Every structure is written in structure tokens, then in C-alpha cells.
Amino acid sequence: MALPVSSIKATKGSIVSALTYSSKCFVPVQSQKGYHCFSRYCTKPMKYVNQFLQSSTNSTISKISSRTKVSGNVHLGSDIQQTSLRSKKLETHTSLLSDPRVLWASLSTCWSHLDKYSGTDDLENMPDLKRFLSEVGTDPREARYWLKQFTTSEPKKPFAIVQVDPEIFMDKKQLDHLTSCLSFLQRNSMRPAVVCGSHIASGHRFPLEELQRLKTQAVMYSTVLASMLEANRVHCRPLFMGSHIIQAERANGANYCGTLCNINTEIIEWCLQTKHIPIILSFGETSTGQIVALDLWSVTEGLAKALQPLKVIKVNACGGFVDEVGSIVANIHLPVDLETSGDKPWCTPVIRSSIERIYKLLYNMPRESSVVITAVDKMLKELFTHRGSGTFFKITEPIHSYSTLEGIDINRLTQLFTISFRKPLIVDYFKSIEGQLHAVYLSESYNAAAVVLKDDMDVPYLCKFVVSVKAQGEGTGEMLWETLKRDHQQLYWRSRGDNPINSWYFRRSEGSWSNRDWTVFWYGIHQPSLSSKLIDSAISKPQSFEPSIEVKNETKLSQTNVSTVL
């Protein structure tokens, strides 16, 4: 039950708060007369909060001194008595979260760190791009491209649904990273919608006390996040349970665990349209008004299907899937990798089940949408670099193989080469390679291509390998390379010595040789004498592009646009 309003004395200059276990969640606001009253909905619940009260053992609420609000920032009172709870870490209280008095005492510990945001203008005055580059360390042109790609002009549509795992709220440093990332996205017109809650097994039975603990915990999470975002000068709206946003029904055999039925997006879209970050809790309301707990991913899934964002981001403390040698699995191409997942030792039944659910979600979303699992401190790096830093899921276009030029749209392929290399092909390029052609690999929408030739060396020569800028962040380049490796046990190719993509080639080759003009790469070659012959053959190959003409394209990032594994 809610704390009885009659037991709370509100006077001018003081703050009181009530936490409820019912479907109504009251927050303190200031009335026109300067006195504090209670309202179910508050546009800025932290605007007037100076102190949250700690209850005594007999449930009486004490009055505390307040500090003047300065420039819209929250300052916590300095004259409150320090207790042992304040010095402990937030996670030491998780077992006691069923008691609201202990919860708010724990919550005040987290809020006591908000002073570092108050009165500091460095974050606001620093240009967003500069702050982004200092955190991610990427090329300015690359950052500019992704910012342009991700910026949405639809006011009611989010750029991303961000699912925040519960462990993030147990670590202040992780919360700082999360707040910074969300603030950056919001300020650059990439509006996120945030989902908080707990992972609950379908049909799980638990007592009423457990439901109360989960609700208390979720309210705490959303309130802390809202406080930090507001202190970071970003507007947000915590949408508490019982607001008729998520309709649900009780799961079969469960008492307080439910399944999602429908999502009313009107309030969420209003938040996005008014440039507020909506914070949604993973709880639903039945037709009879009963609050039921929902699994965190099921709510994320439902929101993604309803709002159709460009990204679904699962943020946790450890990052994406890890393979058998401890490395992050960078890309999962669907449905291809799902079909072959049984052959991979790192793909446990739990991971496979997660991949299946992600595939079903992406199947009901726009083709350009993707899902990312990443650590919170790597979130911007995952979003805004080609190399990424998490596990990236996407339904990728298939790669087709051709043994002749028949069936290939030469004009589209020529345009891909010209735009990507920023140089036009020589006029008779395709005619000149027709007799040497071994294979042409093309993605379905002509976003990636590879041309493999045969010569007197009996080792296939990779004449062209290109991935459009649009496809670089989608894992298409890696998929194309894996197709080449599968079909060719040996391969060699050359690249200009100043090509910025050479580091990508070095990681995928088993040997190389360089002079002032060219770097020659190969794999599958174990005879030194053969390597020497391949080098001579590669550097003697004629030019494929017109040497004196350059096609200008401001959106391209490098001379050879090859995906560097996202």
C-alpha cells in the first residue's frame, strides 16, 4: 500500500515523497502556492527534489533542511545526518528492496553523486562531435557519415529502443556511461526510448512480496536514470506502471507474471515528439487493473514492433556474445548464421534461443533495422564505427556467385566501383577480364562485390573487393569475405601502399610484401618460391581505373570502402 497521505506533513521549503506498491505512483510536485502536494503524473519529478526523507523505525517521516535550487540543477542538502546505509554500495541493499524505507535510503546514496553534474558547463559547452570523438576515437568523416545516416526526421519515431539490463544500475560508473550515451543521442536528434526492468522466465510463479520488490526496484531504476538525465540537461519522462501503456494478461499457471498483449504508443510518441526520452518499465496492466511483471526482452520486443526503430540496443555490463577463445562475436548474419549455429561450440541452447528471438523480431521490422548487444561503455563505439564493439544482428542480403558476366547489371556494378573507389573504371574493363574471369560475387542489392580472376599462376587473383559505405556497418563485407574464403583455399591480391584499409587486409592475410607503391597480400600459400612469383605477377597487373580522374563524393570515407567488421 502507499504511505498514507495523512501521515505526511508538507510545508513550504520541505520535500516529501511516497512510494507506492499499488498501480498508482505519486511523485512530489510544487503547487502554485509554494506548498508541496501529490500528483500521479509529474512532468519533472526531480525539479523540486532537494532531499528524500529517511524513515525512522516507527515509520514517522522526519523533516530535513533543503538547499536552494540553482539553475535547474539538483543540489542535495549538506546537513543531513550521515548513516551507515549512505556509505554502503547500492548493491548491498538489493536483498532489502522490498522495504521502501531501505530503498529510498539506498537511492539517496546514488543521488548524492549528482552534484558532479550540477553547475558544470563543460559538458554542455563542448561540441557534441568533439565529445564523441574523444570518447570513441574515430575518424571525423566516419563520425559525420554515421551521424547523418542515423539522424531521423520523424518526430514520433525513435532512433533506438535501448534495453538497460538491471546490473547497469548497480554500478555508478556504468550509469555515468549510459547517461552520457543517451544524452549524446538525444542532443543529436537520434531519439532513444529506454526500457528498464528485470529478466523473468515465462510463467514464473512468485509471491506478492516479490512483485512488490520488483516494482520498487523498477521505480528506483527509472527515477535514478531520470534524475541523471535531467542533471545532464536532457529532458525525459518516466512512464510508471498503471498508465495504461502496456496491456497484458496473466500467464498460464502464474499469479503475478504476465504476457504482453498490446502497447499503446500514443504517450510514448508524444514524449518523442516533445523531445523527451521516454523511460518504460517492464510491467503490464490486465483488463481488471492488476499489475503483472513482464520479461524485459518481451517489452523491448513489443516496443520495437510497435515503433519500428532503426536500432534495438541491448545494453549490459559485459558486452556481446563470446566465442570459444574469449573473443566477441562481431556479426551474426541472419538467417544464415542461425542455420549453422549448431556447428559453433560457443552457441549454447540459451544463446541459440536468443538468436531465434532476435531473428523473429527483425523479420517484423524494416529491412534496414538491426539489433546490437553491447557493453554500456562501448555503446557509441558500436554505433558509430565500422569496426564496432559488440554483437551485431541483421538480416543480411544474400551473396550471389556468377561464373560469367551474364545476368549481371554491368551499369550498377560499374557505378558501385566508381563511387567506392572515387575513380572511373577504364572503358573496356569488363571486356578485358571476360576471358580471365573466375568468379564474380555480388550482394543482392549491389552493395558489395568481389571480382576473382584466373591466370598462369594457378592461384586465383582477387582483382576487386568493394563494399559500399551504406553496407559497411551491416557486416556485409565480412560476409562477402567469408564467402571468398569458403570458395577459395588460396588467394592473392594487391592494394595501394597508402590505402587506409590495408590494416583490414593484414588481419585477413597470411603473408604480405610491400614496396613504395603496392602491398601484395596472400593466404593459403606455403612455398616461398610461389610467393615470390605471385608478388611479381601482382605488381605487373595493368591498372583498372583511369589514373587522372577522380570522382568527388563527400560521404565516402576512404579510397577503398571495405567493411572493417562490425
Side-chain angles (χ1 to χ4, degrees), residues 46 74 111 114 222-232 236:
M46 292 306 300
V74 178
W111 277 328
L114 290 178
S222 61
T223 310
V224 168
L225 182 58
S227 307
M228 298 182 73
L229 287 170
E230 290 280 356
N232 211 13
C236 59

Side-chain angles (χ1 to χ4, degrees), residues 73-339:
N73 297 319
V74 178
H75 293 263
L76 301 182
S78 60
D79 55 345
I80 187 170
Q81 183 180 2
Q82 299 297 316
T83 65
S84 58
L85 288 177
R86 187 177 291 275
S87 63
K88 293 181 180 180
K89 293 182 178 180
L90 183 61
E91 56 263 30
T92 61
H93 305 303
T94 54
S95 62
L96 300 174
L97 287 178
S98 58
D99 186 346
R101 296 171 298 174
V102 176
L103 169 67
W104 290 117
S106 303
L107 196 55
S108 64
T109 303
C110 183
W111 277 328
S112 66
H113 299 292
L114 290 178
D115 278 334
K116 81 180 189 110
Y117 294 102
S118 303
T120 60
D121 295 327
D122 294 342
L123 186 66
E124 187 72 8
N125 292 336
M126 184 183 294
D128 279 337
L129 183 57
K130 181 179 178 182
R131 180 163 63 90
F132 164 72
L133 293 176
S134 66
E135 183 173 338
V136 178
T138 189
D139 185 272
R141 292 173 297 174
E142 186 176 349
R144 191 182 305 115
Y145 171 78
W146 286 116
L147 288 171
K148 183 179 179 180
Q149 287 292 108
F150 288 158
T151 300
T152 175
S153 59
E154 299 183 41
K156 295 182 179 182
K157 183 177 180 179
F159 158 70
I161 304 294
V162 181
Q163 173 187 300
V164 184
D165 275 13
E167 65 262 25
I168 299 298
F169 294 92
M170 299 295 106
D171 189 321
K172 175 184 171 293
K173 187 176 180 180
Q174 301 278 0
L175 267 176
D176 288 342
H177 281 300
L178 177 64
T179 305
S180 175
C181 292
L182 294 176
S183 301
F184 175 81
L185 294 177
Q186 181 73 2
R187 270 194 280 265
N188 284 277
S189 300
M190 292 171 279
R191 292 177 285 273
V194 181
V195 187
C196 302
S198 302
H199 298 287
I200 301 173
S202 178
H204 178 61
R205 292 184 62 86
F206 46 76
L208 177 61
E209 291 75 15
E210 177 67 10
L211 176 66
Q212 293 174 341
R213 186 191 71 81
L214 291 173
K215 290 168 61 178
T216 301
Q217 180 177 270
V219 171
M220 180 191 73
Y221 290 165
S222 61
T223 310
V224 168
L225 182 58
S227 307
M228 298 182 73
L229 287 170
E230 290 280 356
N232 211 13
R233 299 177 176 89
V234 172
H235 299 299
C236 59
R237 287 286 186 271
L239 304 177
F240 294 110
M241 60 204 76
S243 302
H244 304 288
I245 296 175
I246 301 177
Q247 285 84 50
E249 61 182 13
R250 288 189 179 184
N252 293 332
N255 45 3
Y256 300 109
C257 177
T259 57
L260 190 147
C261 296
N262 185 48
I263 294 180
N264 179 9
T265 62
E266 290 184 2
I267 298 179
I268 300 173
E269 290 173 345
W270 175 81
C271 291
L272 295 168
Q273 193 170 10
T274 57
K275 299 182 179 180
H276 289 74
I277 298 177
I279 303 176
I280 303 105
L281 306 184
S282 60
F283 290 85
E285 186 175 1
T286 67
S287 57
T288 59
Q290 171 67 49
I291 299 296
V292 291
L294 302 175
D295 178 59
L296 184 58
W297 173 249
S298 68
V299 175
T300 303
E301 200 173 36
L303 286 168
K305 291 178 181 178
L307 297 172
Q308 301 285 286
L310 185 63
K311 295 278 185 181
V312 176
I313 307 172
K314 296 179 69 175
V315 177
N316 56 34
C318 57
F321 294 154
V322 179
D323 62 17
E324 63 274 12
V325 296
S327 300
I328 294 291
V329 179
N331 298 282
I332 293 183
H333 310 290
L334 299 170
V336 176
D337 287 343
L338 181 59
E339 296 169 356

